[in-house]
Amino acid sequence: MRIAVIGGDGIGPEVIAEAIKVLRAAVTDGSVETTSYDFGAQRYLRTGEILPASAMAELAAHDAILLGAVGEPRVPSGVLERGLVLRTRFEFDQYVNLRPVRLFPGVGSPLTAVAPIDALVVREGTEGAYIEAGGILRKGSPAEIAMQESINTAFGVGRIVRQAFGYAAVRPRRKLTLVHKTNVLAHAGDLWRRTFEATAAEFPAVTTDYCHVDAALMYMVTQPDLFDVIVTDNLFGDLVTALGAAIAGGIGLAASASISPERTGPSTFEPVHGSAPDIAGKQKADPTAAILSAAMLCDHLGMSAEAARIEQAVAEDLLERQGEWAARSTAEVGDDIAERVAG
Ligand code: IPM
Ligand code: MN
C-alpha cells in the first residue's frame, strides 16, 4: 500500500496524522508505506506554484492519495481548489466521488426524529459545471458576458450511472435515485434520464426513482429514508453531500472518496471538510471524517476486513462519546479509535 499523503493546510495535517495512525493499527503486516507531500497554501505562498512539474507523475506512482484539506486566508479562494483538488480528480480520472451519508447510532443530528439515515451519494467527478468550460467576454464592461457551461457526455454520464447501479445492487435496499433538474436543465437532463433508464434495464434487481434536486434536498431533511443510493452530477452532488454531512452528524464525520475505478490513476480519500484555519494547530478538530476516509481507502485496495474494523471502531467510539468528543484532543480521539482497531 503505497500512499501519498497530502496533509495540506489548517487542520488537514492533524486529522491525517490520526487517519494514518488508525490505518497502521488496522493493516498490521507492515505494508503501509507513506510518502508525504507539502502541497498546499504554504508551498504556494513560498514558491508561487501549486504543484511542481514532477508532482503528478510522483503521485501516480502511489496506490492511493490521502488528502487532508487545502486552503488558507492568504491564498485567493479557488486557486488551490482548482489547481490541486480538481486537477487530481480530473487528471487521475477519479470520476466516482463517493460520499456516505450515514447517521451512526449515538450521534446527534437535527433530524434524529426522522432517522435512520443511511444513504450513499455517487457524485460524478470529472464533468458538469466543474470543468471551467466557458469564458468571459467584454470583461469589466457593462455588457460583460460570463459563460459557465455544464458539460455532460454520453461517456461520462454512462460510466457514473453504471457505477451507481453497481453500488446499489450490493446494498440491502437495492434502490437507486437519479437526482437532477430535468424539468429545467432539459438538455443535460434528457441525457441523464435516458442513460439512467437504459442502464436500469440491465439491473432488474435495483429499484429506481427520480427526484428533482430541489425536492431531493427537502426530502433529505423531512424523509431521509427515501434514499438509498443517489446518483447525480458534479455540482448537484457537491450540494447534496454538503446537506448530507449536515444531517448525518456534521462535517467532522463526513468521509469521501474520489475513485478512479479503472485505476488509470490513484484514487483520493479525503474528509469532506475544509482546512478550518480558525482552529488549526489546536488539536480541536475531529479526525473521524479522515479516519472514515481511510476506511474507504482500505476498501478500495481490497482490504475490506480492515475497512470494516475501522468502521466498527468508529461506530463504538461515536456511541460512547454521546456528542462529547470535544473533551478529547484530535490525537486522543485517534488513539482511542486506533486502540479499538488493534483490539
Ligand atoms: C468538495 C469541495 C470541492 C468541491 C472544492 C474544494 C473544489 O467542496 O470536495 O466537496 O466542490 O468538489
Ligand atoms: Mn463541497
Side-chain angles (χ1 to χ4, degrees):
M1 254 177 149
R2 288 157 307 167
I3 300 173
V5 179
I6 307 174
D9 308 311
I11 60 170
E14 289 168 72
V15 298
I16 289 303
E18 303 316 310
I20 292 170
K21 185 187 285 174
V22 172
L23 194 61
R24 288 193 193 282
V27 183
T28 49
D29 62 1
S31 66
V32 177
E33 282 172 35
T34 59
T35 324
S36 292
Y37 292 93
D38 66 349
F39 307 147
Q42 299 313 319
R43 188 189 177 105
Y44 175 74
L45 290 169
R46 204 173 62 238
T47 68
E49 73 186 354
I50 302 165
L51 292 177
S54 59
M56 295 305 285
E58 280 187 44
L59 293 174
H62 293 79
D63 296 310
I65 300 168
L66 195 55
L67 173 64
V70 290
E72 72 121 285
R74 282 174 299 164
V75 180
S77 170
V79 169
L80 297 166
E81 291 93 321
R82 293 198 304 275
L84 198 159
V85 180
L86 296 184
R87 182 161 175 212
T88 46
R89 286 183 196 167
F90 296 163
E91 286 193 29
F92 293 142
D93 207 22
Q94 297 168 342
Y95 67 88
V96 180
N97 188 252
L98 205 58
R99 298 186 166 181
V101 176
R102 173 176 171 202
L103 184 59
F104 283 90
V107 175
S109 161
L111 304 187
T112 35
V114 292
I117 300 173
D118 188 2
L120 178 67
V121 180
V122 182
R123 166 189 176 194
E124 203 291 320
T126 56
E127 298 193 340
Y130 267 58
I131 61 172
E132 293 192 59
I136 290 187
L137 289 178
R138 308 192 200 113
K139 188 165 185 169
S141 82
E144 178 165 348
I145 300 172
M147 290 165 290
Q148 193 86 50
E149 289 159 15
S150 175
I151 304 301
N152 300 263
T153 69
F155 169 75
V157 176
R159 65 184 186 172
I160 192 67
V161 165
R162 181 169 302 278
Q163 288 284 329
F165 271 100
Y167 284 108
V170 296
R171 285 166 62 96
R173 290 178 64 195
R174 284 186 282 187
K175 179 177 176 187
L176 179 63
T177 305
L178 171 64
V179 167
H180 205 277
K181 185 80 183 175
T182 55
N183 52 345
V184 177
L185 304 186
H187 309 311
D190 191 51
L191 174 62
W192 277 84
R193 189 188 47 74
R194 278 183 288 117
T195 306
F196 187 72
E197 285 168 7
T199 313
E202 295 170 41
F203 291 86
V206 176
T207 310
T208 59
D209 197 5
Y210 170 78
C211 201
H212 289 321
V213 63
D214 46 357
L217 295 174
M218 291 193 273
Y219 288 138
M220 279 176 73
V221 173
T222 57
Q223 293 176 61
D225 61 347
L226 268 183
F227 302 109
D228 180 19
V229 180
I230 289 174
V231 64
T232 192
D233 81 1
N234 209 340
L235 180 57
F236 293 148
D238 185 38
L239 310 182
V240 163
T241 58
L243 180 63
I247 62 169
I251 44 173
L253 305 184
S256 166
S258 291
I259 294 178
S260 172
E262 288 79 27
R263 305 191 185 227
T264 38
S267 299
T268 299
F269 300 83
E270 55 169 324
V272 172
H273 65 67
S275 58
D278 51 324
I279 57 162
K282 298 185 177 155
Q283 285 285 304
K284 280 187 173 176
D286 187 348
T288 307
I291 292 168
L292 286 171
S293 301
M296 295 180 84
L297 183 157
C298 286
D299 229 346
H300 177 69
L301 295 182
M303 302 192 170
S304 50
E306 288 80 356
R309 266 171 48 217
I310 296 175
E311 267 195 28
Q312 178 60 28
V314 166
E316 287 169 14
D317 188 82
L318 290 171
L319 195 57
E320 216 163 79
R321 62 172 90 164
Q322 296 294 342
E324 282 298 308
W325 75 272
R328 291 174 292 170
S329 69
T330 305
E332 283 166 345
V333 176
D335 287 342
D336 288 350
I337 295 174
E339 221 166 89
R340 285 185 197 272
V341 167

mmCIF file with all atom_site columns, all heavy atoms in Angstrom, residues 124-133 148-153 192 233-235:
data_model
loop_
_atom_site.group_PDB
_atom_site.id
_atom_site.type_symbol
_atom_site.label_atom_id
_atom_site.label_alt_id
_atom_site.label_comp_id
_atom_site.label_asym_id
_atom_site.label_entity_id
_atom_site.label_seq_id
_atom_site.pdbx_PDB_ins_code
_atom_site.Cartn_x
_atom_site.Cartn_y
_atom_site.Cartn_z
_atom_site.occupancy
_atom_site.B_iso_or_equiv
_atom_site.pdbx_formal_charge
_atom_site.auth_seq_id
_atom_site.auth_comp_id
_atom_site.auth_asym_id
_atom_site.auth_atom_id
_atom_site.pdbx_PDB_model_num
ATOM 1   N N   . GLU A 1 124 ? -20.795 12.442 -9.798  1.00 0.00 ? 124 GLU A N   1
ATOM 2   C CA  . GLU A 1 124 ? -19.880 12.461 -10.946 1.00 0.00 ? 124 GLU A CA  1
ATOM 3   C C   . GLU A 1 124 ? -18.740 13.434 -10.640 1.00 0.00 ? 124 GLU A C   1
ATOM 4   O O   . GLU A 1 124 ? -18.989 14.528 -10.135 1.00 0.00 ? 124 GLU A O   1
ATOM 5   C CB  . GLU A 1 124 ? -20.646 12.890 -12.213 1.00 0.00 ? 124 GLU A CB  1
ATOM 6   C CG  . GLU A 1 124 ? -20.006 12.425 -13.520 1.00 0.00 ? 124 GLU A CG  1
ATOM 7   C CD  . GLU A 1 124 ? -18.701 13.103 -13.864 1.00 0.00 ? 124 GLU A CD  1
ATOM 8   O OE1 . GLU A 1 124 ? -18.605 14.322 -13.637 1.00 0.00 ? 124 GLU A OE1 1
ATOM 9   O OE2 . GLU A 1 124 ? -17.764 12.431 -14.331 1.00 0.00 ? 124 GLU A OE2 1
ATOM 10  N N   . GLY A 1 125 ? -17.510 13.061 -10.956 1.00 0.00 ? 125 GLY A N   1
ATOM 11  C CA  . GLY A 1 125 ? -16.376 13.866 -10.507 1.00 0.00 ? 125 GLY A CA  1
ATOM 12  C C   . GLY A 1 125 ? -15.544 14.533 -11.581 1.00 0.00 ? 125 GLY A C   1
ATOM 13  O O   . GLY A 1 125 ? -14.578 15.232 -11.254 1.00 0.00 ? 125 GLY A O   1
ATOM 14  N N   . THR A 1 126 ? -15.868 14.348 -12.845 1.00 0.00 ? 126 THR A N   1
ATOM 15  C CA  . THR A 1 126 ? -14.952 14.864 -13.872 1.00 0.00 ? 126 THR A CA  1
ATOM 16  C C   . THR A 1 126 ? -15.624 15.736 -14.934 1.00 0.00 ? 126 THR A C   1
ATOM 17  O O   . THR A 1 126 ? -14.979 16.116 -15.913 1.00 0.00 ? 126 THR A O   1
ATOM 18  C CB  . THR A 1 126 ? -14.261 13.689 -14.612 1.00 0.00 ? 126 THR A CB  1
ATOM 19  O OG1 . THR A 1 126 ? -15.270 12.826 -15.156 1.00 0.00 ? 126 THR A OG1 1
ATOM 20  C CG2 . THR A 1 126 ? -13.377 12.888 -13.686 1.00 0.00 ? 126 THR A CG2 1
ATOM 21  N N   . GLU A 1 127 ? -16.919 15.998 -14.776 1.00 0.00 ? 127 GLU A N   1
ATOM 22  C CA  . GLU A 1 127 ? -17.603 16.771 -15.822 1.00 0.00 ? 127 GLU A CA  1
ATOM 23  C C   . GLU A 1 127 ? -18.518 17.830 -15.186 1.00 0.00 ? 127 GLU A C   1
ATOM 24  O O   . GLU A 1 127 ? -18.232 18.382 -14.151 1.00 0.00 ? 127 GLU A O   1
ATOM 25  C CB  . GLU A 1 127 ? -18.455 15.827 -16.696 1.00 0.00 ? 127 GLU A CB  1
ATOM 26  C CG  . GLU A 1 127 ? -17.679 14.779 -17.443 1.00 0.00 ? 127 GLU A CG  1
ATOM 27  C CD  . GLU A 1 127 ? -18.513 14.096 -18.522 1.00 0.00 ? 127 GLU A CD  1
ATOM 28  O OE1 . GLU A 1 127 ? -19.757 14.146 -18.461 1.00 0.00 ? 127 GLU A OE1 1
ATOM 29  O OE2 . GLU A 1 127 ? -17.908 13.524 -19.442 1.00 0.00 ? 127 GLU A OE2 1
ATOM 30  N N   . GLY A 1 128 ? -19.617 18.086 -15.858 1.00 0.00 ? 128 GLY A N   1
ATOM 31  C CA  . GLY A 1 128 ? -20.607 19.029 -15.354 1.00 0.00 ? 128 GLY A CA  1
ATOM 32  C C   . GLY A 1 128 ? -20.111 20.458 -15.385 1.00 0.00 ? 128 GLY A C   1
ATOM 33  O O   . GLY A 1 128 ? -19.352 20.857 -16.278 1.00 0.00 ? 128 GLY A O   1
ATOM 34  N N   . ALA A 1 129 ? -20.511 21.222 -14.405 1.00 0.00 ? 129 ALA A N   1
ATOM 35  C CA  . ALA A 1 129 ? -20.179 22.642 -14.368 1.00 0.00 ? 129 ALA A CA  1
ATOM 36  C C   . ALA A 1 129 ? -18.767 22.892 -13.847 1.00 0.00 ? 129 ALA A C   1
ATOM 37  O O   . ALA A 1 129 ? -18.319 24.033 -13.765 1.00 0.00 ? 129 ALA A O   1
ATOM 38  C CB  . ALA A 1 129 ? -21.199 23.368 -13.490 1.00 0.00 ? 129 ALA A CB  1
ATOM 39  N N   . TYR A 1 130 ? -18.058 21.808 -13.484 1.00 0.00 ? 130 TYR A N   1
ATOM 40  C CA  . TYR A 1 130 ? -16.796 21.971 -12.776 1.00 0.00 ? 130 TYR A CA  1
ATOM 41  C C   . TYR A 1 130 ? -15.573 22.132 -13.672 1.00 0.00 ? 130 TYR A C   1
ATOM 42  O O   . TYR A 1 130 ? -14.478 22.365 -13.182 1.00 0.00 ? 130 TYR A O   1
ATOM 43  C CB  . TYR A 1 130 ? -16.577 20.768 -11.839 1.00 0.00 ? 130 TYR A CB  1
ATOM 44  C CG  . TYR A 1 130 ? -17.091 21.011 -10.446 1.00 0.00 ? 130 TYR A CG  1
ATOM 45  C CD1 . TYR A 1 130 ? -18.427 21.342 -10.237 1.00 0.00 ? 130 TYR A CD1 1
ATOM 46  C CD2 . TYR A 1 130 ? -16.257 20.937 -9.340  1.00 0.00 ? 130 TYR A CD2 1
ATOM 47  C CE1 . TYR A 1 130 ? -18.916 21.578 -8.963  1.00 0.00 ? 130 TYR A CE1 1
ATOM 48  C CE2 . TYR A 1 130 ? -16.730 21.171 -8.061  1.00 0.00 ? 130 TYR A CE2 1
ATOM 49  C CZ  . TYR A 1 130 ? -18.055 21.491 -7.879  1.00 0.00 ? 130 TYR A CZ  1
ATOM 50  O OH  . TYR A 1 130 ? -18.514 21.729 -6.616  1.00 0.00 ? 130 TYR A OH  1
ATOM 51  N N   . ILE A 1 131 ? -15.729 21.948 -14.993 1.00 0.00 ? 131 ILE A N   1
ATOM 52  C CA  . ILE A 1 131 ? -14.507 21.812 -15.796 1.00 0.00 ? 131 ILE A CA  1
ATOM 53  C C   . ILE A 1 131 ? -14.073 23.105 -16.486 1.00 0.00 ? 131 ILE A C   1
ATOM 54  O O   . ILE A 1 131 ? -13.274 23.092 -17.403 1.00 0.00 ? 131 ILE A O   1
ATOM 55  C CB  . ILE A 1 131 ? -14.632 20.663 -16.812 1.00 0.00 ? 131 ILE A CB  1
ATOM 56  C CG1 . ILE A 1 131 ? -15.783 20.912 -17.798 1.00 0.00 ? 131 ILE A CG1 1
ATOM 57  C CG2 . ILE A 1 131 ? -14.841 19.342 -16.101 1.00 0.00 ? 131 ILE A CG2 1
ATOM 58  C CD1 . ILE A 1 131 ? -15.802 19.880 -18.919 1.00 0.00 ? 131 ILE A CD1 1
ATOM 59  N N   . GLU A 1 132 ? -14.565 24.207 -15.989 1.00 0.00 ? 132 GLU A N   1
ATOM 60  C CA  . GLU A 1 132 ? -14.143 25.516 -16.500 1.00 0.00 ? 132 GLU A CA  1
ATOM 61  C C   . GLU A 1 132 ? -14.377 25.654 -17.992 1.00 0.00 ? 132 GLU A C   1
ATOM 62  O O   . GLU A 1 132 ? -13.554 26.237 -18.704 1.00 0.00 ? 132 GLU A O   1
ATOM 63  C CB  . GLU A 1 132 ? -12.677 25.793 -16.151 1.00 0.00 ? 132 GLU A CB  1
ATOM 64  C CG  . GLU A 1 132 ? -12.485 25.965 -14.653 1.00 0.00 ? 132 GLU A CG  1
ATOM 65  C CD  . GLU A 1 132 ? -11.118 26.523 -14.287 1.00 0.00 ? 132 GLU A CD  1
ATOM 66  O OE1 . GLU A 1 132 ? -10.799 27.630 -14.751 1.00 0.00 ? 132 GLU A OE1 1
ATOM 67  O OE2 . GLU A 1 132 ? -10.386 25.864 -13.546 1.00 0.00 ? 132 GLU A OE2 1
ATOM 68  N N   . ALA A 1 133 ? -15.483 25.103 -18.482 1.00 0.00 ? 133 ALA A N   1
ATOM 69  C CA  . ALA A 1 133 ? -15.862 25.341 -19.869 1.00 0.00 ? 133 ALA A CA  1
ATOM 70  C C   . ALA A 1 133 ? -16.637 26.651 -19.897 1.00 0.00 ? 133 ALA A C   1
ATOM 71  O O   . ALA A 1 133 ? -17.518 26.888 -19.079 1.00 0.00 ? 133 ALA A O   1
ATOM 72  C CB  . ALA A 1 133 ? -16.739 24.199 -20.382 1.00 0.00 ? 133 ALA A CB  1
ATOM 73  N N   . GLN A 1 148 ? -20.588 29.876 -18.125 1.00 0.00 ? 148 GLN A N   1
ATOM 74  C CA  . GLN A 1 148 ? -20.075 28.751 -17.341 1.00 0.00 ? 148 GLN A CA  1
ATOM 75  C C   . GLN A 1 148 ? -20.903 27.555 -17.753 1.00 0.00 ? 148 GLN A C   1
ATOM 76  O O   . GLN A 1 148 ? -22.047 27.396 -17.332 1.00 0.00 ? 148 GLN A O   1
ATOM 77  C CB  . GLN A 1 148 ? -20.267 29.038 -15.843 1.00 0.00 ? 148 GLN A CB  1
ATOM 78  C CG  . GLN A 1 148 ? -19.495 28.107 -14.941 1.00 0.00 ? 148 GLN A CG  1
ATOM 79  C CD  . GLN A 1 148 ? -18.067 28.580 -14.708 1.00 0.00 ? 148 GLN A CD  1
ATOM 80  O OE1 . GLN A 1 148 ? -17.843 29.725 -14.371 1.00 0.00 ? 148 GLN A OE1 1
ATOM 81  N NE2 . GLN A 1 148 ? -17.120 27.691 -14.901 1.00 0.00 ? 148 GLN A NE2 1
ATOM 82  N N   . GLU A 1 149 ? -20.334 26.766 -18.629 1.00 0.00 ? 149 GLU A N   1
ATOM 83  C CA  . GLU A 1 149 ? -21.138 25.704 -19.221 1.00 0.00 ? 149 GLU A CA  1
ATOM 84  C C   . GLU A 1 149 ? -21.031 24.407 -18.431 1.00 0.00 ? 149 GLU A C   1
ATOM 85  O O   . GLU A 1 149 ? -20.007 24.111 -17.844 1.00 0.00 ? 149 GLU A O   1
ATOM 86  C CB  . GLU A 1 149 ? -20.697 25.481 -20.680 1.00 0.00 ? 149 GLU A CB  1
ATOM 87  C CG  . GLU A 1 149 ? -21.117 26.634 -21.563 1.00 0.00 ? 149 GLU A CG  1
ATOM 88  C CD  . GLU A 1 149 ? -20.306 26.735 -22.832 1.00 0.00 ? 149 GLU A CD  1
ATOM 89  O OE1 . GLU A 1 149 ? -19.623 25.761 -23.170 1.00 0.00 ? 149 GLU A OE1 1
ATOM 90  O OE2 . GLU A 1 149 ? -20.348 27.803 -23.462 1.00 0.00 ? 149 GLU A OE2 1
ATOM 91  N N   . SER A 1 150 ? -22.105 23.641 -18.468 1.00 0.00 ? 150 SER A N   1
ATOM 92  C CA  . SER A 1 150 ? -22.090 22.327 -17.837 1.00 0.00 ? 150 SER A CA  1
ATOM 93  C C   . SER A 1 150 ? -21.938 21.281 -18.944 1.00 0.00 ? 150 SER A C   1
ATOM 94  O O   . SER A 1 150 ? -22.760 21.212 -19.854 1.00 0.00 ? 150 SER A O   1
ATOM 95  C CB  . SER A 1 150 ? -23.390 22.103 -17.072 1.00 0.00 ? 150 SER A CB  1
ATOM 96  O OG  . SER A 1 150 ? -23.430 20.797 -16.553 1.00 0.00 ? 150 SER A OG  1
ATOM 97  N N   . ILE A 1 151 ? -20.853 20.529 -18.851 1.00 0.00 ? 151 ILE A N   1
ATOM 98  C CA  . ILE A 1 151 ? -20.551 19.546 -19.901 1.00 0.00 ? 151 ILE A CA  1
ATOM 99  C C   . ILE A 1 151 ? -20.987 18.158 -19.441 1.00 0.00 ? 151 ILE A C   1
ATOM 100 O O   . ILE A 1 151 ? -20.561 17.669 -18.394 1.00 0.00 ? 151 ILE A O   1
ATOM 101 C CB  . ILE A 1 151 ? -19.038 19.542 -20.219 1.00 0.00 ? 151 ILE A CB  1
ATOM 102 C CG1 . ILE A 1 151 ? -18.579 20.949 -20.618 1.00 0.00 ? 151 ILE A CG1 1
ATOM 103 C CG2 . ILE A 1 151 ? -18.708 18.522 -21.303 1.00 0.00 ? 151 ILE A CG2 1
ATOM 104 C CD1 . ILE A 1 151 ? -19.265 21.558 -21.814 1.00 0.00 ? 151 ILE A CD1 1
ATOM 105 N N   . ASN A 1 152 ? -21.838 17.535 -20.215 1.00 0.00 ? 152 ASN A N   1
ATOM 106 C CA  . ASN A 1 152 ? -22.337 16.198 -19.877 1.00 0.00 ? 152 ASN A CA  1
ATOM 107 C C   . ASN A 1 152 ? -22.185 15.315 -21.106 1.00 0.00 ? 152 ASN A C   1
ATOM 108 O O   . ASN A 1 152 ? -22.824 15.570 -22.126 1.00 0.00 ? 152 ASN A O   1
ATOM 109 C CB  . ASN A 1 152 ? -23.815 16.271 -19.477 1.00 0.00 ? 152 ASN A CB  1
ATOM 110 C CG  . ASN A 1 152 ? -24.031 17.156 -18.269 1.00 0.00 ? 152 ASN A CG  1
ATOM 111 O OD1 . ASN A 1 152 ? -24.112 16.675 -17.151 1.00 0.00 ? 152 ASN A OD1 1
ATOM 112 N ND2 . ASN A 1 152 ? -24.096 18.466 -18.474 1.00 0.00 ? 152 ASN A ND2 1
ATOM 113 N N   . THR A 1 153 ? -21.329 14.312 -21.021 1.00 0.00 ? 153 THR A N   1
ATOM 114 C CA  . THR A 1 153 ? -21.101 13.457 -22.187 1.00 0.00 ? 153 THR A CA  1
ATOM 115 C C   . THR A 1 153 ? -21.771 12.099 -21.980 1.00 0.00 ? 153 THR A C   1
ATOM 116 O O   . THR A 1 153 ? -21.944 11.642 -20.843 1.00 0.00 ? 153 THR A O   1
ATOM 117 C CB  . THR A 1 153 ? -19.592 13.223 -22.424 1.00 0.00 ? 153 THR A CB  1
ATOM 118 O OG1 . THR A 1 153 ? -19.089 12.410 -21.360 1.00 0.00 ? 153 THR A OG1 1
ATOM 119 C CG2 . THR A 1 153 ? -18.833 14.547 -22.477 1.00 0.00 ? 153 THR A CG2 1
ATOM 120 N N   . TRP A 1 192 ? -29.132 12.417 -19.036 1.00 0.00 ? 192 TRP A N   1
ATOM 121 C CA  . TRP A 1 192 ? -29.064 11.688 -17.766 1.00 0.00 ? 192 TRP A CA  1
ATOM 122 C C   . TRP A 1 192 ? -30.249 10.722 -17.633 1.00 0.00 ? 192 TRP A C   1
ATOM 123 O O   . TRP A 1 192 ? -30.083 9.564  -17.262 1.00 0.00 ? 192 TRP A O   1
ATOM 124 C CB  . TRP A 1 192 ? -29.047 12.660 -16.576 1.00 0.00 ? 192 TRP A CB  1
ATOM 125 C CG  . TRP A 1 192 ? -27.683 13.204 -16.273 1.00 0.00 ? 192 TRP A CG  1
ATOM 126 C CD1 . TRP A 1 192 ? -27.065 14.268 -16.849 1.00 0.00 ? 192 TRP A CD1 1
ATOM 127 C CD2 . TRP A 1 192 ? -26.738 12.676 -15.310 1.00 0.00 ? 192 TRP A CD2 1
ATOM 128 N NE1 . TRP A 1 192 ? -25.818 14.453 -16.312 1.00 0.00 ? 192 TRP A NE1 1
ATOM 129 C CE2 . TRP A 1 192 ? -25.584 13.499 -15.362 1.00 0.00 ? 192 TRP A CE2 1
ATOM 130 C CE3 . TRP A 1 192 ? -26.760 11.616 -14.409 1.00 0.00 ? 192 TRP A CE3 1
ATOM 131 C CZ2 . TRP A 1 192 ? -24.471 13.275 -14.552 1.00 0.00 ? 192 TRP A CZ2 1
ATOM 132 C CZ3 . TRP A 1 192 ? -25.639 11.390 -13.589 1.00 0.00 ? 192 TRP A CZ3 1
ATOM 133 C CH2 . TRP A 1 192 ? -24.510 12.218 -13.670 1.00 0.00 ? 192 TRP A CH2 1
ATOM 134 N N   . ASP A 1 233 ? -25.010 14.705 -10.767 1.00 0.00 ? 233 ASP A N   1
ATOM 135 C CA  . ASP A 1 233 ? -23.863 15.320 -11.440 1.00 0.00 ? 233 ASP A CA  1
ATOM 136 C C   . ASP A 1 233 ? -22.940 16.010 -10.434 1.00 0.00 ? 233 ASP A C   1
ATOM 137 O O   . ASP A 1 233 ? -23.191 16.009 -9.227  1.00 0.00 ? 233 ASP A O   1
ATOM 138 C CB  . ASP A 1 233 ? -24.332 16.233 -12.590 1.00 0.00 ? 233 ASP A CB  1
ATOM 139 C CG  . ASP A 1 233 ? -24.790 17.617 -12.137 1.00 0.00 ? 233 ASP A CG  1
ATOM 140 O OD1 . ASP A 1 233 ? -24.739 17.933 -10.927 1.00 0.00 ? 233 ASP A OD1 1
ATOM 141 O OD2 . ASP A 1 233 ? -25.215 18.403 -13.018 1.00 0.00 ? 233 ASP A OD2 1
ATOM 142 N N   . ASN A 1 234 ? -21.886 16.595 -10.957 1.00 0.00 ? 234 ASN A N   1
ATOM 143 C CA  . ASN A 1 234 ? -20.820 17.116 -10.108 1.00 0.00 ? 234 ASN A CA  1
ATOM 144 C C   . ASN A 1 234 ? -21.306 18.233 -9.175  1.00 0.00 ? 234 ASN A C   1
ATOM 145 O O   . ASN A 1 234 ? -21.081 18.194 -7.963  1.00 0.00 ? 234 ASN A O   1
ATOM 146 C CB  . ASN A 1 234 ? -19.705 17.629 -11.040 1.00 0.00 ? 234 ASN A CB  1
ATOM 147 C CG  . ASN A 1 234 ? -18.333 17.542 -10.403 1.00 0.00 ? 234 ASN A CG  1
ATOM 148 O OD1 . ASN A 1 234 ? -18.202 17.452 -9.198  1.00 0.00 ? 234 ASN A OD1 1
ATOM 149 N ND2 . ASN A 1 234 ? -17.301 17.572 -11.223 1.00 0.00 ? 234 ASN A ND2 1
ATOM 150 N N   . LEU A 1 235 ? -22.004 19.207 -9.732  1.00 0.00 ? 235 LEU A N   1
ATOM 151 C CA  . LEU A 1 235 ? -22.439 20.343 -8.919  1.00 0.00 ? 235 LEU A CA  1
ATOM 152 C C   . LEU A 1 235 ? -23.575 19.969 -7.964  1.00 0.00 ? 235 LEU A C   1
ATOM 153 O O   . LEU A 1 235 ? -23.528 20.279 -6.768  1.00 0.00 ? 235 LEU A O   1
ATOM 154 C CB  . LEU A 1 235 ? -22.875 21.501 -9.832  1.00 0.00 ? 235 LEU A CB  1
ATOM 155 C CG  . LEU A 1 235 ? -23.369 22.763 -9.123  1.00 0.00 ? 235 LEU A CG  1
ATOM 156 C CD1 . LEU A 1 235 ? -22.326 23.315 -8.159  1.00 0.00 ? 235 LEU A CD1 1
ATOM 157 C CD2 . LEU A 1 235 ? -23.739 23.834 -10.153 1.00 0.00 ? 235 LEU A CD2 1
#
